[in-house]
Amino acid sequence: MPKKQIYLTGFMGTGKSMILNCLHEVCGFDKIEMDEQIVQEQGMSIPEIFEKKGEEYFRNLETELVRKISAMDNIVVSCGGGTVMRQCNVDEMKKNGTIVLLTAEPETVYERVRGSHNRPLLEKNMNPEYIKELMEARRPKYEAAADFVIKTDNRTAEEICLEINKRLKTVDN
């Protein structure tokens, strides 16, 4: 039986939102952007949640949302960059879903996120060196969680979506 959810994971700026929208169009699945959903439910931005309630509170909201999503069918999900840092989230996602890890070089990520002020972990460290350090710290968990990995550097959303679609067919069989 084919899995019912596609989870896009990876570091911030690897293209999760862009690919979410593309897969939504290509597969006809519903879509959820976890960070947007949390912002909407909490009525405050992610930096505000981090500042007022703390990172642990935010991570608990992510876990709660992963549990809700795992009961849904035919959905593509853009996970927050830290979602797979908790094993309980990964276990829940793997029950009915396929986890796709999107990757990009630190310089690519920097180019994509450098104008953003909605990334609390980078706000005071917006440079390729720090991005690389944080990516390396997270890489083992990202790779352990992933069913497969897709590089997004210098590729269009359409090229990436086609590859994901092709790879999904081999995972489901």
Side-chain angles (χ1 to χ4, degrees), residues 20-100:
L20 172 78
N21 291 318
C22 185
L23 283 174
H24 167 67
E25 294 294 318
V26 170
C27 299
F29 279 21
D30 289 332
K31 63 179 181 171
I32 289 182
E33 176 98 44
M34 284 184 63
D35 286 350
E36 279 182 17
Q37 184 81 21
I38 289 170
V39 165
Q40 189 179 348
E41 288 175 4
Q42 294 296 303
M44 62 180 108
S45 71
I46 291 169
E48 284 178 301
I49 296 169
F50 267 64
E51 186 184 314
K52 293 178 179 169
K53 309 262 185 153
E55 184 176 357
E56 184 71 13
Y57 178 83
F58 177 77
R59 299 299 173 202
N60 290 337
L61 293 173
E62 283 182 323
T63 297
E64 198 177 297
L65 185 53
V66 166
R67 286 190 185 121
K68 284 183 204 169
I69 292 168
S70 71
M72 299 176 180
D73 287 341
N74 301 323
I75 192 152
V76 60
V77 181
S78 172
C79 298
T83 306
V84 298
M85 295 298 103
R86 283 190 172 178
Q87 189 60 44
C88 63
N89 293 345
V90 174
D91 294 343
E92 196 65 39
M93 291 156 64
K94 283 194 174 279
K95 280 183 190 171
N96 296 305
T98 300
I99 301 175
V100 179

Side-chain angles (χ1 to χ4, degrees), residues 88-136:
C88 63
N89 293 345
V90 174
D91 294 343
E92 196 65 39
M93 291 156 64
K94 283 194 174 279
K95 280 183 190 171
N96 296 305
T98 300
I99 301 175
V100 179
L101 172 58
L102 301 179
T103 65
E105 294 299 319
E107 297 75 18
T108 302
V109 169
Y110 172 72
E111 287 302 317
R112 291 175 180 170
V113 304
R114 69 180 179 179
S116 171
H117 295 287
N118 205 26
R119 305 185 188 267
L121 295 177
L122 292 184
E123 191 57 38
K124 291 176 178 58
N125 296 291
M126 190 64 79
N127 61 70
E129 296 76 25
Y130 182 75
I131 290 169
K132 181 177 182 174
E133 202 177 291
L134 196 50
M135 288 173 87
E136 282 304 309

